[in-house]
Structure formats: C-alpha cells, structure tokens
Amino acid sequence: MEEHLPETLRAVEHELTALLRRGRALPWEIAREVHPNLEPNAYGLLLWLRRSGSTRLTDLAVKLGIGKGTLSRQIQGLEGLGLVRRDPDPDDRRAAQLSLTEEGTRRFDAARATRLGQIRRTMESWPRRDVEEFARLLHRFNDTF
C-alpha cells in the first residue's frame, strides 16, 4: 500500500514525525524552566490557564478532553508547587475558579519567552509571509486532524 502513497504525503509524514519527535522533548525542557519538579504534561495546563486567566475545573477538563479526577490531581500538584490557586466561584459556591498564581505567571512567562526566542531565532531568516502562512497551515492542520 505504501508504494501507492504520493511522494508529497510521504514527505508530510516524514516532517510531522520529525516535528513530533522534537515536540516530545520540548515539554521536558520547558517544564524544568518553569519549575524543577514540574511534570512535562503540566505545561499545557499552565498554557490554558494563562490564556483563560481563570476557569472552572470542569470547563478546563472539557477543553482538554480529560477526566475531572485526572485534572484535579494534576491541579493539586500545581497548587503544591505554588503555580496554581483555587478561588471560590462567585456564581457557584460549590465550584472553584482556577488561575495561575503570581509566581506561576512569572515562571510561565519566563519559560515561554525562552521558547518563543528559540522559535524566533529559527524563523528569523524566513520572509514574514512564509511565517504567517506556516502558522495558518499548522492551525488548519491541527483544527481538522
């Protein structure tokens, strides 16, 4: 069957494999920059919390497609590191709003600045249009994959 694949699909598969391989190593590096005891998969949680500012655990679980129990355990770990806090939800006293602490925000932003600097250095020789097109195509791929 593989011999019937167009060469361009093989090239896409090859490049995606290389990207994913690098992508698996990156969370370890970034997690260590945020906090030495941070689990690599927690970086994504911090990213969502940084973007949303404050969100309920149930809403975050739905966005991430993971169970509330699993997410709750991960959040407890982040609370223990002083990166995340729970505040009472003003609309529902049984629920809590999750957000980054000041320390969590500071550490996340510093690690993210390092990451964005690496991306900037990698792409600084690219024409702006190519970077915009790359971002558009990655979004399109991720949105439909």
Side-chain angles (χ1 to χ4, degrees):
M1 172 123 170
E2 184 176 319
E3 63 274 358
H4 299 294
L5 286 176
E7 191 56 38
T8 51
L9 285 181
R10 284 193 199 108
V12 168
E13 177 192 35
H14 174 79
E15 296 304 329
L16 278 175
T17 301
L19 181 64
L20 292 172
R21 186 177 57 248
R22 284 190 183 114
R24 280 191 295 275
L26 191 60
W28 286 95
E29 296 169 23
I30 295 171
R32 297 294 175 249
E33 288 178 33
V34 173
H35 192 284
N37 297 327
L38 186 67
E39 291 292 324
N41 61 353
Y43 181 81
L45 292 176
L46 296 176
L47 177 63
W48 277 103
L49 289 171
R50 185 66 173 109
R51 285 181 181 164
S52 65
S54 180
T55 189
R56 292 175 62 177
L57 186 129
T58 52
D59 295 337
L60 186 58
V62 169
K63 279 183 192 175
L64 298 175
I66 60 178
K68 289 185 341 185
T70 300
L71 180 58
S72 183
R73 285 187 295 280
Q74 291 175 340
I75 293 296
Q76 285 174 352
L78 294 172
E79 286 178 296
L81 296 175
L83 303 174
V84 172
R85 72 172 185 264
R86 292 179 201 240
D87 295 312
D89 187 329
D91 298 327
D92 182 353
R93 292 313 229 175
R94 298 168 296 160
Q97 289 283 326
L98 304 171
S99 59
L100 295 180
T101 62
E102 285 184 33
E103 180 70 4
T105 299
R106 185 188 67 73
R107 287 175 173 257
F108 177 84
D109 288 352
R112 190 172 193 205
T114 299
R115 180 181 184 189
L116 289 174
Q118 291 169 333
I119 294 169
R120 183 178 293 115
R121 284 187 296 281
T122 299
M123 302 183 95
E124 68 187 353
S125 65
W126 291 29
R128 180 184 176 127
R129 245 170 95 175
D130 287 357
V131 175
E132 290 169 351
E133 182 70 358
F134 185 61
R136 185 187 72 75
L137 291 171
L138 278 175
H139 175 75
R140 181 177 170 191
F141 180 83
N142 286 327
D143 204 36
T144 57
F145 190 68

